[in-house]
Amino acid sequence: MSAADLCLETLPGGFNAIECTLFLAMVTAGIQNYFEWGAGGSTLLAAKRARSVTSVEGSRVWVDKMRNGSLPSNVNLRYVDIGPTKAFSWPVQTNTTRSREYIRAIDAVPPQDVVLVDGRWRVACALRARNRLTAPNGVVLVHDFDRKAYQVLLGPFREVARKGNLVALRPREGVHHVSTAYESDPSR
């Protein structure tokens, strides 16, 4: 099946068609480990290409819906309780302890080939993923990168590709930027 066909089959969700082509260019057939914050169509697309898919989600309702859709056997969908949520897993209240558990969920898995940041606390999650990539070709994808709050990531990362509002980033050499300041604001 072509990349365009995969995109059309799985699209109802966050990516548009052009973003989906970048996603599939980075999540190539046969990659070992894929991790994401924010479950949905990307989870199903990645499952067709990666050996192991770990998806972290903060909405119990969305996790139940995803699980009821019979997930592929190579997907580990992990619910992290960030408290009550509104649409798109927005927490009703910010709780730093819960946000840290969500952000640090990547620490429980081996190094990843591709990490998608498409949930809450995107800056903190991308920074956390920085040291959990397979070297030298591991990549962090950040969705909705047009948002001004996410541009801070261009300090510790370099942009390697962009289509629409999806960007592919790789860590810059010699930059060790990890800040917990981003762990308290779910909009960044």
Side-chain angles (χ1 to χ4, degrees):
M1 183 177 285
S2 74
D5 291 337
L6 278 174
C7 288
L8 289 174
E9 179 181 294
T10 320
L11 263 182
F15 295 146
N16 64 35
I18 192 133
E19 293 165 345
C20 186
T21 60
L22 175 58
F23 178 82
L24 291 175
M26 296 296 150
V27 184
T28 56
I31 68 165
Q32 293 296 304
N33 298 311
Y34 168 88
F35 183 96
E36 67 182 5
W37 283 278
S42 58
T43 312
L44 302 175
L45 275 173
K48 293 180 181 191
R49 294 186 156 213
R51 182 183 60 78
S52 173
V53 173
T54 302
S55 183
V56 171
E57 178 58 52
S59 167
R60 168 58 75 191
V61 172
W62 188 245
V63 165
D64 291 344
K65 184 174 181 174
M66 290 287 296
R67 287 187 176 142
N68 288 337
S70 66
L71 290 171
S73 62
N74 62 333
V75 173
N76 175 14
L77 178 56
R78 182 173 171 216
Y79 169 67
V80 175
D81 183 3
I82 61 173
T85 57
K86 300 182 267 189
F88 300 102
S89 303
W90 276 97
V92 172
Q93 297 177 349
T94 300
N95 179 308
T96 304
T97 302
R98 288 180 173 179
S99 67
R100 283 191 183 124
E101 183 181 347
Y102 179 89
I103 294 159
R104 295 173 184 183
I106 196 168
D107 296 352
V109 297
Q112 302 294 299
D113 301 303
V114 178
V115 173
L116 171 65
V117 182
D118 196 16
R120 297 301 118 227
W121 299 282
R122 291 186 195 188
V123 171
C125 289
L127 291 171
R128 195 73 184 188
R130 193 175 184 284
N131 296 322
R132 302 295 304 153
L133 297 172
T134 54
N137 294 318
V139 65
V140 174
L141 301 170
V142 180
H143 193 224
D144 300 318
F145 198 72
D146 60 321
R147 296 178 187 167
K148 188 175 181 175
Y150 302 161
Q151 302 305 305
V152 68
L153 291 170
L154 293 174
F157 291 95
R158 62 184 170 83
E159 183 178 320
V160 294
R162 183 189 303 223
K163 290 203 177 185
N165 291 322
L166 182 65
V167 67
L169 304 170
R170 287 210 169 97
R172 291 186 188 274
E173 296 281 329
V175 177
H176 303 286
H177 183 284
V178 177
S179 174
T180 58
Y182 298 103
E183 293 181 354
S184 61
D185 184 353
S187 68
R188 299 197 313 183

